[in-house]
Amino acid sequence: MSADPPDTTGRPRTTGRRCTTGRPGTTTRPGTTTRPDTTARPDTTGHPNLYAQFRAAAALHDGHTALEAGGHELTYRQLRDAAEALAARLISSHDGRVPRRIGLLSNRSIGSYVSYLAVLCTGATVVPLNPDYPHGRNAVIAEAADLGLLITDPHPATAELDVPRLTLTPEEVVGLAAEAPARLPECPATPGDVAYIVFTSGSTGTPKGVPVLHRSVMAYVDYASGLYDVTPGSRCSQTFDLSFDGSVYDLFVTWSRGGTLVVPQRSQLLSPVSFVNSARLTHWWSVPSLVSFADRLGTLKPDSMPTLRRTLFGGEPLSVTSARLWQAAAPNSTIDNLYGPTELTCTCTGYRLPDDVAEWPESPNGTVPIGSCYPTVEYLVLDEDGAPATDGELCLRGSQRFPGYLDPADNAGRFLSADGEGAVRPHPTGSPPTDSSWYRTGDRVLETDGQLVHLGRTDHQVQIRGYRIELGEIEAQLRQHPEVRDAIVIAVEGRNGEQDLEAAVTASHDDTEGMYRTLSARLPAYMLPRRITAFEQLPLNPNGKVDRKALASALAKNRS
């Protein structure tokens, strides 16, 4: 698809579609079931901001354990008191004028979570920074966000950041919980204020800031908190770094229902099965790549994770092969495949696999469907010409949609406007998006049997020697080889400046000849990659997704 939005003037009228079927998975193929949600739901509706929503839920569960991180534990009362003690310190140290945006160098310490809540409590905006990012990237983010303060524990990653900072050790944070309850004014944030800003990769190489409003997060938490049976006593994973929006589910859905957030150290994420069992987890939420880690270690054996009741995957496509491996290892757990760009507040669609593996759906690329949209979201599927279609780019709007990028220049080409009669056309350049504007995700989907299947990015469709090729189709065929755990296909510059295809696989054996035979039997010659390279593990970015740029560099080194 072209980079610019299609001109749909004169095209058939389009109307957004809402999910009218309730929770993800309830109207999928016959045999798909959901367990009834019979637990009492905290009244978190009607609050003016995310912190007030958290505080109301925390009051209902004050004696239960809210957080386990770095060898420390806090109950809901202690977590709230520590956050408000830190908020009081921030307010007093700035004469009541707290900086409007406060950075948080998240290092999986107990201070990261207390600080996140404290910043929200003051009414300021949280801007999480990842200590694993290059210093230069964090410096660019700090400047773009115009940070007035950085909260961190002692860490060398702060050395090159020219921002006033507050450094807290984990012991100091625990001490905050023991202080006398702080007397604070009500959190001043309104539903239309920005709760947090996360930065995603930009096509220009500069990170793009995505501001998310309090009302968007609260709408998400209100809906998602009723889906997955989190109750007091539930032990929920926190696999995502706070600089990745998947963490919003980890924190606020868990805390809205009285569950315990269990934070692993990064090294523990490389052994997911061991962590699940040692932490006695009941709920797991991660990118599918961690399935490959567990499988490579040989630990993903049948019945190896008996405590799990709910499993959620998202952030990248979930292959049916990976889902089968996880289902066998966690037979007491349902598996939900979730989808959502950062711009739509964490996740906005979901599909629950049927309990009976024999009833699992088939998709054209071997991935689990992303399912149906939440009732907080409307969607359109548009073809290359901007006409309604069942196969095309997914466009979204609704209460979870962000208001536009931090830098308005990044909005260009990313929104469509709807007129009063339902037709859509390019959003006027320079005008901020309205509530009725559609966000162009850049994701290609297929709508079938009332469900959406993710077919890849629109820019993962390439044209080579006159043939249009879907890279996901080649990847799906490679994954059917019995030795292949995962596969990625990329387009590279070939001979005479033309594009060629190369494939990277993780496999138990380096049987590339057998892989070629598999592909040759199923694909035309023009779709065959010129080279298949086996890796022990595909390179991942700090959020756990396959890093295609790093992969392209690794393949280039292998060619030289």
Side-chain angles (χ1 to χ4, degrees), residues 153-207:
D153 56 7
H155 199 285
T158 64
E160 297 182 15
L161 296 179
D162 186 20
V163 180
R165 69 198 63 181
L166 171 63
T167 302
L168 295 170
T169 66
E171 291 71 26
E172 288 176 306
V173 173
V174 172
L176 291 171
E179 294 183 7
R183 293 186 177 182
L184 289 171
E186 292 292 328
C187 174
T190 69
D193 288 334
V194 178
Y196 64 81
I197 301 173
V198 293
F199 281 78
T200 65
S201 297
S203 58
T204 63
T206 301

